[in-house]
Amino acid sequence: ETADSEPVDVEGTGSDEDAYMGRREKRREDAALLTGRAEYTDDHEPPGTVHLAFVRSEHGHADLEGIDASAAEAMDGVLGVYTWADVDASPSPGRLPLSGLDPDVPAHPILATDRVRYHGQPIAAVVAEDRYRARDAVDAVEIEYEPREAVVDPRAATDPDAPQLFEAASDNVATAAEMGDADTTDEAFSAADRTVEIDLENNRLIPSALEPRAAVAEFDADDGFTVTMTSQSPHGHRRKLAHTLGVREGEIRVVSPRVGGGFGHKGHHHPGEAMAAWCARELERPVKWTATRSGNYLEGAHGRDHRTTAELAVDDDGSIRGVRAETVANVGGYGLGGGARMPVRYGRLLSSQYAIDAIHCETRAVFTNTAPIHSYRGAGRPEAIYVTERLIDIAADELGMDPVELRRRNLLEPDEFPYETPVGATYDSGDYEPAMEKALEAIGYDEYRDRPEFRPGETNAPDDDGLVRGVGVANYVESTAGGFESGLVRALPDGDVEVYAGTHSHGQGHETTYAQLVADALEVPLERIHVSEGDTAAIPTGTGTFGSRSTLVGGNAVVESAEKVLAKARQIAAAELGVDPERVEYEDGTFTVLEGDETVSFAEVADVAYGWNTPDGLEPGLEATTFYESEGAAYTFGTHACIVAVDPDTGDVEIERYVAVDDCGERVNPLIVDGQVHGGVAQGIGQALYEAVAYDEDGTLLTDSMDDYGVPRAADVPPIETDATVTPSPLNDLGVKGIGEAGTIAAPPAAVNAVCDAIGVDHVDMPLTGERVWRAIASEQKE
Ligand code: MCN
């Protein structure tokens, strides 16, 4: 990227050449991040800081028969070793808040009570003068376990004979939900010409943010707690910490400095930050906890892990009549936060981009002896879109139809919006075909299908290099935004502007995009805008960054506040100029009397606002706060397509080309939007080709480090060719929709569709390792 501030050329954006909206502004936060000047949680070290480390369960399922901490307590530099008995004897409830589940199911304790339910569950907390001594003392704590039989597979867990995790959850079912209408769907299936079926696994993933979870807790009897931590939602964490510690929200300040990636798992409340705060109060010393990579892998909320049987009913002319899905979603050892409720809502996106009259989805969220599962980038949307987009390719094969043609025949038309799906989603706006055609054109779909090597429904013939190639296309929708967000805009006396938002960027570039929005609204230069997030003491109560919501709710909140500031500035300017506010026009930072020459600048108005002589009837100061609530979700959409090359001798897959055409409405900063797509696609490719979480049958996590867990390296990710269409959301004045999760949703079905096309099979479960693909080719050849 060389150009700093080019106006964009996509129709529908950047119409005003002077506007910052639509410009490819470079991220202003990057200089500090890239040169190592940025401060992360682990950089914070107040005087007297001591270090917390956890003794973690070595078993997936076991009763705790005894804990002997005497040797650890006697070690040099060790300040305390704590167990559940200590937490239980303290005023803190010590259990993470759990909503939406049977109240008889005990919530996750910050230290294990009398039983451990997953490998890595924290059992005891050791605090020492430095982290090395803390780590040595962890090894000196003796735990006596009585192992129990474990269950790690969510389907197996629903067997009445399977080990039960909680008495109150029979057959280990945490919660269940049904979406759509069963009878209508049955009728659609009986009336349809054909049905196809798939049984698939949406593989469990572990978030691999560069920065592990971390917290530094300080306690003062007069001021309460200050918890500096890695957080996607500082106000949310304040609330949850107050619950776990048993104190009032006003007694806690959460500060979240730079956050080195989150991908969902830094939005959830884990034992680490709560235990650091608990220990800080106990010891009256600042307590730092930084998870090790393995600690993060063992216990940082995992994602996905669905088992689904799904069917699609279709007529011979390609009209899709219905979709039916039955899913068992793993939630691990405890339903972390709302984590048990989250997967049962996944069915809401099963309609993808299509007009399907009948859909029915049943989901059960199930406890197993594995790490708690919560949301991982996409959180339910990738799981749903994967089901539908895989079914469509299988149906096309059954019909002998081009899978793109089958999609084209069923796409929703632009005049059908707002569109209510049979599974309870209301799509705000969409124009799906142009995005799909753009992607097909870019990948060269028709030329690919015309190649002599292409053999529909069977393994394609190898090219001269011996590799078989395949093309895969996936359409998607992404529900973005929801809830409310806070935005405060404050003009300072010299006309500089501070912006505070309740969201918290952990890689998304909010400092740049919010500044662009406010600079436009106030018509002042970008350099004069200063954006802050991440401190509950400075920022009006907000919600946080997840669900690709920040641009829509946070963006509109700061813009509305800027507009309120400008309205007041106009009143002050009018008084200064001695005319009615209606007789004042504003352009490029200057108020001018209509048909006159007198002017006053925005900076001069700000100076007056904080002077001793504010005009009569006007309160001093120049700031405004907005709590913006979105009217509903805005539905981003697009089409991703890729070409893969498969080595038939080894099953190795390489993605040779990847095209992403996304439509997130008006784009604030297309450069950042591209970056978000790149990151999301890289993670989607990780899920499709490399990332597999393995537990053995005792519930031991086998992939507890980056040696064993296949996060894609730069060389594993192909160049990503991005493009866009622009269909504004009618639900908000900016016309924006979110983009943060699009790539993780679209990439897995695009990649798997391409491999299945190359080797001529119906389905191979992710990740598409060489072994799995080779076996699929071998079994296809046998038939
Ligand atoms: N943007 C834009 N125009 C739009 C939409 C978005 O210019 N129409 C810009 C935004 O202004 C913002 C960025 O794109 O700078 C992402 O905005 P948005 O889609 O609103 O998403 P959020 O900021 O709420 O980010 C959340 C999303 C999620 S849910 C995960 S998980 C995720 C992600 O973003 N985790 C990330 N992107 C990540 N990127 C990095 N580097 N690291 C993570 O952990």
Side-chain angles (χ1 to χ4, degrees):
E1 236 354 279
T2 48
D4 254 354
S5 301
E6 291 166 22
V8 288
D9 57 1
V10 173
E11 215 180 308
T13 47
S15 50
D16 177 356
E17 291 227 339
D18 295 329
Y20 289 108
M21 174 92 175
R23 280 200 202 177
R24 301 177 75 86
E25 280 291 328
K26 281 188 183 170
R27 302 197 332 168
R28 40 163 67 181
E29 43 272 82
D30 280 350
L33 293 170
L34 295 174
T35 55
R37 281 185 285 118
E39 293 256 313
Y40 294 86
T41 296
D42 194 57
D43 293 319
H44 183 57
E45 185 113 354
T49 296
V50 293
H51 298 260
L52 161 67
F54 285 114
V55 180
R56 296 180 179 280
S57 172
E58 290 167 16
H59 292 267
H61 202 187
D63 289 318
L64 293 178
E65 301 282 303
I67 303 175
D68 182 358
S70 50
E73 277 164 342
M75 286 170 80
D76 206 21
V78 171
L79 298 156
V81 181
Y82 305 104
T83 66
W84 175 252
D86 300 300
V87 176
D88 204 25
S90 78
S92 299
R95 285 183 188 269
L96 310 179
L98 184 60
S99 55
L101 282 191
D102 182 335
D104 290 336
V105 175
H108 197 311
I110 54 176
L111 294 174
T113 55
D114 54 353
R115 206 203 292 192
V116 284
R117 291 182 170 82
Y118 64 94
H119 180 204
Q121 183 178 345
I123 295 176
V126 176
V127 183
E129 292 288 350
D130 62 56
R131 60 187 308 186
Y132 307 101
R133 286 179 220 235
R135 187 65 191 77
D136 286 348
V138 160
D139 290 342
V141 178
E142 304 266 347
I143 313 277
E144 204 185 317
Y145 301 93
E146 181 58 42
R148 283 172 170 260
E149 195 191 338
V151 61
V152 299
D153 179 275
R155 272 189 183 144
T158 61
D159 187 319
D161 295 330
Q164 296 289 299
L165 270 74
F166 298 101
E167 254 175 51
S170 62
D171 299 340
N172 292 313
V173 175
T175 181
E178 193 178 344
M179 282 178 180
D181 188 79
D183 293 341
T184 327
T185 310
D186 288 349
E187 282 161 28
F189 270 77
S190 336
D193 292 336
R194 294 162 196 248
T195 61
V196 291
E197 187 179 316
I198 192 170
D199 187 63
L200 60 83
E201 177 176 338
N202 200 297
N203 43 327
R204 178 184 274 248
L205 302 174
I206 301 182
S208 298
L210 281 173
E211 180 196 27
R213 289 166 304 123
V216 181
E218 295 161 77
F219 177 76
D220 178 290
D222 296 324
D223 295 342
F225 295 90
T226 299
V227 183
T228 303
M229 64 178 287
T230 59
S231 174
Q232 296 176 216
S233 164
H235 290 97
H237 270 120
R238 179 172 71 176
R239 188 157 211 188
K240 291 168 190 163
L241 276 166
H243 168 99
T244 307
L245 296 168
V247 300
R248 299 187 308 276
E249 279 189 63
E251 295 175 84
I252 303 180
R253 173 184 179 193
V254 171
V255 181
S256 191
R258 297 288 181 189
V259 178
F263 313 121
H265 87 309
K266 288 178 183 164
H268 316 314
H269 185 28
H270 295 82
E273 56 262 11
M275 206 58 222
W278 189 93
C279 293
R281 182 174 58 191
E282 192 71 19
L283 294 166
E284 297 195 2
R285 296 275 296 269
V287 176
K288 178 184 284 191
W289 163 76
T290 301
T292 59
R293 180 63 64 188
S294 301
N296 225 37
Y297 270 25
L298 285 163
E299 179 235 333
H302 296 181
R304 316 276 196 266
D305 209 351
H306 281 200
R307 308 284 189 282
T308 297
T309 305
E311 294 167 276
L312 182 139
V314 63
D315 284 343
D316 287 337
D317 68 358
S319 310
I320 300 176
R321 305 288 294 261
V323 168
R324 199 152 48 196
E326 200 191 320
T327 294
V328 179
N330 200 344
V331 291
Y334 297 81
L336 199 61
R341 275 180 308 140
M342 192 268 301
V344 297
R345 292 194 297 239
Y346 101 105
R348 205 164 275 175
L349 281 193
L350 282 171
S351 207
S352 188
Q353 296 189 353
Y354 314 105
I356 307 175
D357 291 337
I359 304 179
H360 182 241
C361 175
E362 282 178 290
T363 315
R364 282 172 298 164
V366 169
F367 292 120
T368 63
N369 297 111
T370 59
I373 292 221
H374 205 296
S375 55
Y376 176 77
R377 198 169 187 175
R381 292 94 127 204
E383 292 91 320
I385 296 295
Y386 185 63
V387 169
T388 308
E389 294 296 316
R390 286 272 47 244
L391 278 171
I392 289 185
D393 267 34
I394 296 169
D397 191 39
E398 165 77 19
L399 293 169
M401 190 182 276
D402 178 338
V404 160
E405 186 51 31
L406 181 54
R407 287 181 168 79
R408 199 179 273 126
R409 287 191 194 182
N410 293 281
L411 285 179
L412 286 164
E413 299 289 335
D415 59 6
E416 290 180 86
F417 295 88
Y419 175 78
E420 198 170 329
T421 72
V423 268
T426 305
Y427 297 169
D428 56 332
S429 65
D431 190 1
Y432 298 150
E433 197 160 359
M436 187 170 91
E437 299 303 341
K438 246 187 185 184
L440 297 174
E441 171 84 32
I443 203 84
Y445 188 79
D446 290 339
E447 297 89 87
Y448 170 84
R449 302 275 299 192
D450 286 344
R451 285 157 32 102
E453 291 81 8
F454 173 63
R455 310 269 161 83
E458 48 185 294
T459 309
N460 291 334
D463 285 286
D464 291 346
D465 56 8
L467 305 178
V468 290
R469 291 191 163 68
V471 69
V473 174
N475 291 333
Y476 77 94
V477 288
E478 175 189 0
S479 51
T480 68
F484 85 91
E485 199 46 81
S486 70
L488 187 164
V489 171
R490 173 184 298 147
L492 300 179
D494 69 355
D496 263 21
V497 177
E498 291 179 340
V499 177
Y500 297 89
T503 48
H504 193 31
S505 186
H506 45 283
Q508 292 86 353
H510 296 169
E511 265 176 72
T512 307
T513 48
Y514 287 162
Q516 287 177 259
L517 290 170
V518 172
D520 275 349
L522 293 178
E523 297 188 46
V524 297
L526 196 66
E527 313 75 79
R528 303 212 67 170
I529 316 285
H530 311 273
V531 178
S532 300
E533 295 177 305
D535 183 350
T536 59
I539 296 167
T541 299
T543 303
T545 290
F546 49 87
S548 301
R549 61 191 301 282
S550 304
T551 313
L552 199 159
V553 278
N556 278 286
V558 298
V559 167
E560 277 196 14
S561 291
E563 286 165 353
K564 291 174 192 168
V565 164
L566 194 57
K568 183 168 178 188
R570 182 185 295 276
Q571 288 183 303
I572 298 173
E576 288 296 295
L577 296 166
V579 295
D580 288 340
E582 305 78 59
R583 295 216 49 232
V584 173
E585 64 175 3
Y586 182 65
E587 205 181 343
D588 287 344
T590 306
F591 295 94
T592 311
V593 176
L594 270 183
E595 292 144 25
D597 296 334
E598 304 86 358
T599 63
V600 56
S601 71
F602 183 79
E604 285 164 336
V605 166
D607 188 50
V608 172
Y610 293 100
W612 288 78
N613 296 311
T614 323
D616 283 350
L618 286 177
E619 189 184 333
L622 193 53
E623 69 174 59
T625 299
T626 302
F627 292 89
Y628 181 91
E629 191 175 16
S630 69
E631 278 178 43
Y635 286 81
T636 295
F637 62 89
T639 300
H640 289 204
C642 63
I643 289 183
V644 296
V646 180
D647 183 336
D649 295 331
T650 61
D652 279 350
V653 175
E654 190 186 335
I655 297 181
E656 294 189 318
R657 283 193 58 210
Y658 195 100
V659 168
V661 179
D662 299 281
D663 190 321
C664 57
E666 297 291 354
R667 295 174 301 166
V668 182
N669 185 330
L671 182 61
I672 290 182
V673 168
D674 279 357
Q676 287 292 304
V677 171
H678 281 219
V681 168
Q683 283 181 290
I685 289 175
Q687 169 163 34
L689 300 189
Y690 308 110
E691 297 185 38
V693 177
Y695 278 97
D696 74 9
E697 57 188 27
D698 299 331
T700 303
L701 178 66
L702 304 175
T703 48
D704 67 351
S705 78
M706 282 187 168
D707 278 347
D708 305 308
Y709 185 71
V711 182
R713 273 65 162 176
D716 299 322
V717 180
I720 298 162
E721 302 160 46
T722 55
D723 203 343
T725 59
V726 176
T727 310
S729 172
L731 299 182
N732 67 93
D733 291 347
L734 295 172
V736 294
K737 304 178 178 187
I739 191 65
E741 292 149 295
T744 51
I745 301 172
V752 178
N753 287 349
V755 172
C756 291
D757 173 58
I759 65 174
V761 301
D762 268 358
H763 183 66
V764 188
D765 266 331
M766 301 184 290
L768 302 178
T769 57
E771 182 188 339
R772 282 188 177 173
V773 174
W774 182 85
R775 283 184 191 282
I777 298 169
S779 63
E780 184 68 12
Q781 280 164 353
K782 251 192 238 154
E783 284 168 19

